[in-house]
C-alpha cells in the first residue's frame, strides 16, 4: 500500500466514483487481498474481467487504488492495490450542498446494505463454520447516554483497538502464522437516536 494512513474522501467526484455497488465490492475485495489482478477480483465478484478492469480504472482515476508491483509475473497482467490504509467519509464534508448531502447519504446506505448482506451470508452459513469460529463471532447492541464529545472519543478508541488487532494479525500472517486465519468483518456504527 502506498500509504499507511486512511484517506479522508472529501470531494464529491471521488465520493460518486466510489459510490457504485460493484466498485465498493471491488475495493473491499482488493483491501482484503492487498494486491490482486482484475482476473482474480472478477472471480471473487462473479463479473466479467473487462467490466472489473473498467471499474478498477475508475477507482484508480480518483486515487482510491493504484498499480502494484507485478509480483514477478510476465508483465501482461496489471496488479492493483489500495492506495491507502482505508477510506473515511465524514458528513461534515458534504453537508453544505443538497447534491453533496444526498450523495453522501446514498453511499452510506449502499455501504450499509452491503454490510448487512455480508452478515446475512454469515448467518445463513453459520452452521458450516467450526465451533470455535461460531463461538468467537459476536453481535451486540449497546445503548448509552453520551455527549457528542464522548461519542467521538468512544469512536476513536474503538478504531484504535480494531487497528491494533488488524496490524497484529497482518504481522503474524506475514511471519508465516497462517493456520486458522480467516477474513473477519467488524461493522461498527455509532450514532445518536431518539426513541
Amino acid at each position: 500500500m502506498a500509504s499507511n494512513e486512511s484517506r479522508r474522501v472529501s470531494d464529491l467526484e471521488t465520493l460518486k466514483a466510489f459510490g457504485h455497488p460493484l466498485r465498493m465490492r471491488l475495493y473491499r475485495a482488493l483491501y482484503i487481498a492487498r494486491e490482486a489482478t482484475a482476473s482474480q477480483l472478477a472471480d471473487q465478484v462473479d463479473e466479467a474481467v473487462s467490466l472489473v478492469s473498467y471499474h478498477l480504472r475508475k477507482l484508480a482515476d480518483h486515487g482510491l487504488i493504484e498499480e502494484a508491483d507485478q509480483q514477478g509475473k510476465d508483465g501482461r497482467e496489471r496488479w492493483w492495490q489500495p492506495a491507502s490504509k482505508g477510506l473515511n467519509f465524514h458528513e461534515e464534508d458534504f453537508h453544505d450542498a443538497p447534491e453533496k448531502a444526498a450523495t453522501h447519504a446514498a453511499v452510506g446506505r449502499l455501504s450499509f446494505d452491503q454490510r448487512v448482506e455480508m452478515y446475512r451470508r454469515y448467518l445463513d452459513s453459520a452452521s458450516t463454520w467450526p465451533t470455535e469460529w461460531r463461538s468467537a463471532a459476536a453481535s451486540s447492541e449497546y445503548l448509552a447516554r453520551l455527549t457528542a464529545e464522548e461519542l467521538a472519543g468512544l469512536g476513536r478508541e474503538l478504531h484504535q483497538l480494531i487497528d491494533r488487532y488488524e496490524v497484529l494479525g497482518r504481522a503474524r500472517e506475514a511471519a508465516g502464522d497462517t493456520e486458522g486465519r480467516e477474513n473477519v468483518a467488524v461493522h461498527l456504527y455509532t450514532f445518536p437516536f431518539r426513541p
Side-chain angles (χ1 to χ4, degrees):
M1 254 184 278
S3 172
N4 284 330
E5 300 295 320
S6 289
R7 175 179 172 190
R8 183 172 179 158
V9 174
S10 58
D11 67 284
L12 183 59
E13 293 310 310
T14 302
L15 183 64
K16 284 181 177 180
F18 182 74
H20 183 283
L22 180 55
R23 290 180 198 156
M24 291 175 82
R25 289 175 50 218
L26 288 169
Y27 184 86
R28 183 178 288 116
L30 186 58
Y31 185 86
I32 291 166
R34 292 300 193 215
E35 293 183 347
T37 65
S39 299
Q40 292 168 337
L41 294 169
D43 288 343
Q44 290 183 40
V45 298
D46 196 30
E47 295 288 349
V49 175
S50 59
L51 181 65
V52 167
S53 292
Y54 170 80
H55 286 292
L56 289 172
R57 286 192 304 275
K58 290 297 180 187
L59 290 170
D61 287 346
H62 292 275
L64 301 172
I65 67 170
E66 63 189 15
E67 284 193 59
D69 292 334
Q70 293 188 357
Q71 302 263 329
K73 302 289 183 188
D74 61 13
R76 289 184 286 176
E77 287 190 301
R78 208 171 182 185
W79 284 81
W80 297 98
Q81 66 185 10
S84 61
K85 184 178 179 185
L87 301 174
N88 294 303
F89 308 91
H90 297 268
E91 186 274 338
E92 65 200 43
D93 295 326
F94 300 99
H95 74 281
D96 61 337
E99 181 187 12
K100 288 179 169 182
T103 302
H104 180 263
V107 170
R109 282 190 297 276
L110 178 58
S111 179
F112 177 75
D113 290 345
Q114 288 186 355
R115 291 171 185 163
V116 167
E117 181 54 33
M118 286 177 71
Y119 189 57
R120 280 191 179 122
R121 282 194 311 267
Y122 166 72
L123 292 174
D124 290 345
S125 68
S127 64
T128 67
W129 285 91
T131 302
E132 64 268 18
W133 280 104
R134 291 193 314 268
S135 297
S139 171
S140 301
E141 179 180 40
Y142 300 94
L143 304 173
R145 297 269 305 158
L146 305 174
T147 65
E149 183 180 331
E150 291 166 343
L151 180 59
L154 173 63
R156 281 190 303 273
E157 286 185 45
L158 289 169
H159 285 285
Q160 290 168 355
L161 177 64
I162 293 164
D163 277 349
R164 192 172 78 227
Y165 273 89
E166 185 180 7
V167 167
L168 176 69
R170 292 211 182 266
R172 287 180 174 169
E173 185 174 34
D177 180 7
T178 58
E179 187 160 335
R181 197 165 295 281
E182 297 283 352
N183 295 319
V184 173
V186 178
H187 298 162
L188 178 65
Y189 304 95
T190 61
F191 55 91
F193 73 97
R194 292 186 177 112

